[in-house]
């Protein structure tokens, strides 16, 4: 495992891998775009205002052309004649079509209006249609109102408007356009497949230029960014960040608190700037005219921290591929066991927190909120680890030779902790020490994360006996687990900050709770329910994703349903005991040790 705690970026599209670079080196740390900058992670809408204007995708729905949607008009904006020439040379565009493209380009360069008059194609669920679009009076001919009326209801309905019509066109199907051109009375026609937005690697098509998807957003966007506030803007672009660290280094916890990114006072002092609040930003943040004149003073934010020095990527995680399928499956089974182990640790910590309704908490709103937030996040992350265990089982099934799959539901005896070290699994309350260990186990490029980097590297550069079964689906599943692990890491760091404001005795039911004694009825019911849940999961996983759905759903219900594991665990915790989960009988549930090759 790596000794680096550096912020890790796992490429999930071609752009993030660095264009024209080595597409196999997807587990290296690079200075580039994190997962949160993927198109699907952005707050995109169909109108200017946020961070992605989806209308710009439809500008290139037809090969070699850009169109502007203005009401129910589709106006030609540009023709890529270089692309047409290349396609003509390789035979994918006919001479006749090339002539039409050249004529349309000539219209645009001469400032003559060229519009799409009709579209014929397959419009998604609406099926094959021929649509006449709105056209202005031109060449002595009357205005054409067109078929689209801004409504779309009932049987045999049509798209509501031109932009929606283009968006409905099915990718890869044949589309025929006729054009109405200023100064020309003849009809021009082109037929081609509906253009793709993504290439075979899942990256945005090279047809789109840098900045094209954002070119129609509001300007200056920084005004909107400031006034909308962090609770409205995209969570992956917060208007708060941790401040630049002083040259002497951070001296206390105030440097871990978020401050307004667009604050007026830009000084870097030995004292941290005031923390961000929900109060009006008028007094603390740059005024609109100041944003226009002082935008260059805003700091880059990397890893939620403002920086002023050049950013240097950290060390790459260990990413050497595993030697063969057998070793890969050993690592995957252990990974599933680690997911189960840390899920149980997080549940134990969650149940150790006082209830927000506890009388000893009633006098402090901050304490109550910090307990509530910590409990919610522990439960969320524990649920995430269970999903990861499910994903790993799916990968094991996909890689295992036919008829050999056995579910991986053995809890790990030891889990990755500090870099290069393993620690015993410990059921304990959410003490400061416990939260620190959670941070270590989720640390980027270390802990659980470091375990998955070799698994991913093996799927990306598979040995001979893995190559046939190593699909994009499994690679993407591992990348998602790694990305969510970084979220867990940051969340535990936040939790540490929340709970640092209180004594452990203030937020814990007990700082050192005892395990329930033998014969405790509540604990007996909990352990029986836990064992039954694992049995149901095993039955469901053995059958497979769809055939085993009933058993898997029953297991889920047993966790959170009335009288389920959650309620039974709360009953044990209410008696003042530590909630823990015993290993059920049977070899299929026995603790799993780390593989020798780890």
């Amino acid at each position: 495992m790596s000794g680096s705690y550096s912020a890790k970026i796992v490429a999930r599209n071609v752009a993030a891998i660095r264009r024209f670079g080595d597409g196999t080196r997807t587990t290296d740390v690079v200075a580039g775009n994190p997962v949160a900058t993927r198109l699907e992670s952005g707050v995109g809408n169909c109108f200017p205002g946020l961070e992605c204007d989806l209308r710009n995708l439809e500008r290139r729905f037809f090969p070699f052309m850009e169109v502007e949607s203005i009401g129910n008009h589709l106006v030609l904006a540009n023709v890529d004649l270089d692309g047409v020439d290349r396609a003509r040379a390789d035979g994918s565009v006919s001479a006749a079509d090339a002539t039409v493209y050249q004529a349309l380009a000539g219209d645009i360069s001469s400032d003559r209006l060229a519009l799409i008059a009709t579209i014929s194609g397959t419009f998604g669920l609406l099926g094959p249609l021929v649509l006449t679009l709105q056209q202005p009076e031109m060449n002595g001919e009357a205005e054409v109102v067109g078929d689209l009326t801004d409504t779309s209801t009932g049987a045999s309905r049509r798209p509501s408007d031109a932009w929606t019509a283009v968006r409905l066109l099915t990718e890869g199907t044949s589309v025929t356009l006729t054009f109405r051109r200023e100064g020309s009375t003849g009809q021009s026609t082109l037929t081609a497949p509906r253009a793709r937005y993504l290439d075979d690697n899942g990256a945005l098509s090279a047809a789109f230029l840098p900045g094209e998807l954002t070119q129609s957003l509001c300007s200056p966007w920084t005004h909107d960014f400031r006034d909308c506030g962090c609770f409205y803007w995209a969570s992956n672009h917060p208007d708060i960040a941790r401040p630049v660290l002083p040259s002497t280094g951070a001296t206390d916890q105030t440097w871990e608190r978020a401050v307004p990114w667009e604050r007026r006072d830009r000084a870097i002092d030995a004292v941290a700037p005031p923390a961000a609040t929900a109060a009006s930003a008028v007094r603390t943040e740059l005024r609109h005219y100041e944003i226009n004149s002082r935008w260059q003073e805003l700091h880059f934010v990397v890893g939620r921290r403002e920086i002023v020095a050049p950013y240097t990527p950290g060390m790459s995680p260990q990413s050497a591929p595993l030697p063969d399928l057998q070793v890969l499956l050993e690592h995957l089974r252990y990974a599933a066991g680690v997911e189960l182990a840390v899920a149980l640790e997080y549940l134990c910590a969650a149940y150790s927190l006082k209830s927000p309704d506890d009388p000893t908490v009633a006098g402090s709103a901050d304490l109550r909120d910090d307990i509530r937030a910590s409990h919610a996040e522990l439960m969320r992350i524990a649920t995430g680890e269970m999903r990861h265990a499910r994903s790993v089982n799916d990968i094991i099934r996909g890689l295992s030779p036919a008829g050999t799959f056995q579910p991986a539901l053995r809890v790990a005896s030891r889990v990755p902790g500090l870099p290069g070290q393993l620690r015993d699994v410990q059921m304990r309350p959410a003490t400061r020490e416990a939260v620190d260990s959670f941070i270590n186990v989720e640390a980027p490029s270390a802990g659980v994360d470091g375990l998955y980097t070799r698994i991913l590297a093996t799927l990306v550069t598979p040995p001979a006996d893995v190559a046939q079964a190593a699909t994009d689906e499994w690679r993407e599943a591992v990348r998602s687990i790694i990305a969510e692990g970084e979220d867990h890491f940051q969340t535990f760091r936040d939790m540490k900050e929340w709970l640092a404001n209180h004594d452990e005795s203030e937020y814990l039911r007990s700082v050192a709770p005892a395990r329930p004694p033998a014969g405790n009825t509540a604990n007996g019911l909990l352990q029986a329910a836990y064992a039954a849940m694992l049995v149901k999961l095993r039955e469901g996983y053995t059958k497979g994703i769809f055939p085993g759905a009933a058993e898997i759903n029953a297991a889920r219900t047993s966790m959170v349903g009335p009288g389920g594991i959650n309620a039974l665990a709360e009953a044990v915790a209410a008696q003042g005991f530590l909630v823990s989960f015993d290993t059920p009988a049977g070899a299929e549930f026995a603790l799993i040790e780390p593989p020798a090759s780890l």
Side-chain angles (χ1 to χ4, degrees):
M1 297 179 195
S2 168
S4 169
Y5 273 25
S6 61
K8 175 192 44 35
I9 298 168
V10 175
R12 299 180 76 178
N13 55 43
V14 168
I17 295 171
R18 296 165 294 175
R19 199 161 194 170
F20 308 116
D22 182 357
T24 65
R25 300 189 62 190
T26 58
T27 58
D28 285 355
V29 174
V30 298
N33 297 329
V35 171
T37 62
R38 294 177 69 186
L39 180 61
E40 57 265 43
S41 297
V43 175
N45 62 0
C46 302
F47 304 96
L50 294 180
E51 57 182 296
C52 174
D53 187 347
L54 296 183
R55 296 175 304 178
N56 292 320
L57 289 172
E58 268 60 55
R59 296 179 74 250
R60 296 183 182 272
F61 79 95
F62 198 85
F64 313 116
M65 282 179 19
E66 295 175 53
V67 300
E68 297 288 356
S69 173
I70 305 173
N72 281 325
H73 299 90
L74 289 181
V75 181
L76 265 67
N78 188 46
V79 175
D80 178 13
L81 285 181
D82 289 340
V84 172
D85 290 342
R86 289 191 296 270
R88 178 74 187 94
D90 66 22
S92 57
V93 167
S94 67
D97 284 354
T99 300
V100 174
Y101 278 117
Q102 291 163 358
L104 294 171
D107 290 338
I108 296 170
S109 63
S110 301
D111 292 327
R112 293 191 297 269
L113 186 62
L115 306 97
I116 297 175
T118 66
I119 307 179
S120 175
T122 301
F123 295 84
L125 295 176
L126 302 186
L129 295 171
V130 178
L131 301 178
T132 299
L133 302 182
Q134 186 176 2
Q135 304 153 50
E137 181 181 349
M138 186 189 300
N139 303 329
E141 299 177 358
E143 176 185 7
V144 176
V145 176
D147 299 330
L148 308 181
T149 61
D150 294 330
T151 60
S152 181
T153 59
S156 302
R157 67 184 186 274
R158 296 174 178 270
S160 58
D161 54 73
W163 178 81
T164 301
V166 170
R167 191 161 182 78
L168 285 172
L169 285 168
T170 304
E171 180 183 296
T173 59
S174 180
V175 177
T176 298
L177 307 180
T178 63
F179 301 91
R180 191 173 181 186
R181 302 165 49 206
E182 184 179 1
S184 175
T185 56
Q187 186 180 74
S188 301
T189 302
L190 287 172
T191 299
R194 195 334 181 166
R196 298 176 61 188
Y197 296 149
L198 302 179
D199 65 18
D200 290 336
N201 295 314
L204 197 63
S205 169
F208 292 94
L209 300 176
E212 187 166 345
L213 296 187
T214 58
Q215 65 186 2
S216 54
L217 299 185
C218 56
S219 180
W221 65 268
T222 41
H223 293 190
D224 198 23
F225 189 56
R226 193 203 80 166
D227 294 341
C228 286
C230 63
F231 296 102
Y232 173 71
W233 204 267
S235 61
N236 56 353
H237 296 308
D239 61 352
I240 55 177
R242 295 187 177 112
V244 178
L245 293 174
S247 57
T248 55
T251 55
D252 56 51
Q253 191 68 14
T254 59
W255 293 97
E256 298 302 313
R257 296 174 183 170
V259 300
W261 181 61
E262 293 182 304
R263 60 191 177 280
R264 191 177 305 160
D265 184 358
R266 311 300 302 173
I268 302 174
D269 296 323
V271 178
T277 70
S280 170
V282 171
R283 296 182 181 276
T284 60
E285 295 193 278
L286 295 169
R287 298 182 179 93
H288 289 159
Y289 76 87
E290 290 178 309
I291 293 173
N292 294 348
S293 61
R294 298 177 61 189
W295 60 266
Q296 70 275 12
E297 298 178 33
L298 299 174
H299 300 139
F300 286 98
V301 179
V302 178
R304 303 171 68 185
R305 172 80 66 186
E306 295 180 356
I307 62 171
V308 292
Y311 173 66
T312 303
M315 296 173 59
S316 296
Q318 172 59 257
S319 56
L322 298 167
D324 53 43
L325 178 60
Q326 179 180 344
V327 177
L328 174 59
L329 290 175
E330 289 175 358
H331 277 246
L332 284 166
R333 289 190 173 280
Y334 174 65
V338 170
E339 300 289 2
L340 294 171
V342 295
L344 298 182
E345 287 192 336
Y346 301 159
L347 289 173
C348 177
Y351 294 122
S352 73
L353 297 170
K354 289 181 178 178
S355 167
D357 299 325
D358 190 301
T360 64
V361 174
S364 172
D366 288 342
L367 174 59
R368 182 177 63 250
D369 290 346
D370 289 339
I371 289 174
R372 182 180 288 117
S374 297
H375 182 274
E377 292 295 353
L378 282 164
M379 297 299 286
R380 178 183 70 85
I381 295 174
T383 302
E385 308 298 1
M386 293 297 293
R387 285 201 312 271
H388 294 171
R390 166 68 184 275
S391 296
V392 174
N393 270 274
D394 289 342
I395 297 171
I396 294 172
R397 174 186 288 278
L399 295 174
S400 297
T404 65
F405 170 71
Q406 291 294 322
L409 291 171
R410 298 171 60 189
V411 175
S413 61
R414 291 182 293 164
V415 297
L418 293 170
Q421 299 179 20
L422 296 171
R423 66 165 176 82
D424 292 337
V425 174
Q426 302 176 62
M427 300 298 161
R428 52 186 164 170
T431 60
R432 304 196 201 292
E433 180 185 9
V435 175
D436 280 338
S437 74
F438 298 162
I439 293 172
N440 291 336
V441 81
E442 299 285 0
S445 304
V448 179
D449 200 6
L451 171 64
Y452 280 107
T453 57
R454 293 202 69 186
I455 293 173
L456 178 58
T458 310
L459 294 174
V460 170
T461 311
D465 58 351
V466 176
Q468 190 124 16
T471 65
D472 286 339
E473 180 181 358
W474 307 139
R475 286 186 281 267
E476 184 66 17
V478 175
R479 289 183 179 122
S480 296
I481 293 173
I482 293 174
E484 289 179 18
E486 187 161 348
D487 166 73
H488 297 173
F489 170 70
Q490 294 292 353
T491 300
F492 281 130
R493 292 183 66 186
D494 291 338
M495 188 182 305
K496 178 178 180 177
E497 181 179 340
W498 303 335
L499 298 179
N501 298 318
H502 317 287
D503 290 336
E504 290 180 345
S505 60
E506 292 180 304
Y507 64 83
L508 292 175
R509 298 177 193 258
S510 172
V511 176
R515 289 176 177 263
N520 180 276
T521 302
N523 185 58
L525 292 173
L526 172 62
Q527 303 309 324
Y530 170 62
M533 180 271 293
L534 287 180
V535 169
K536 278 295 180 186
L537 278 182
R538 180 174 175 78
E539 291 174 356
Y541 288 176
T542 300
K543 291 181 178 180
I545 296 177
F546 298 113
E551 288 80 2
I552 294 172
N553 286 334
R556 289 173 178 166
T557 301
S558 73
M559 296 180 202
V560 297
I565 290 174
N566 183 58
L568 295 172
E570 287 287 359
V572 172
Q575 295 180 15
F577 296 122
L578 179 72
V579 172
S580 60
F581 298 89
D582 299 337
T583 303
E588 67 273 25
F589 300 124
L591 297 179
I592 186 170
E593 295 294 327
S597 56
L598 187 65

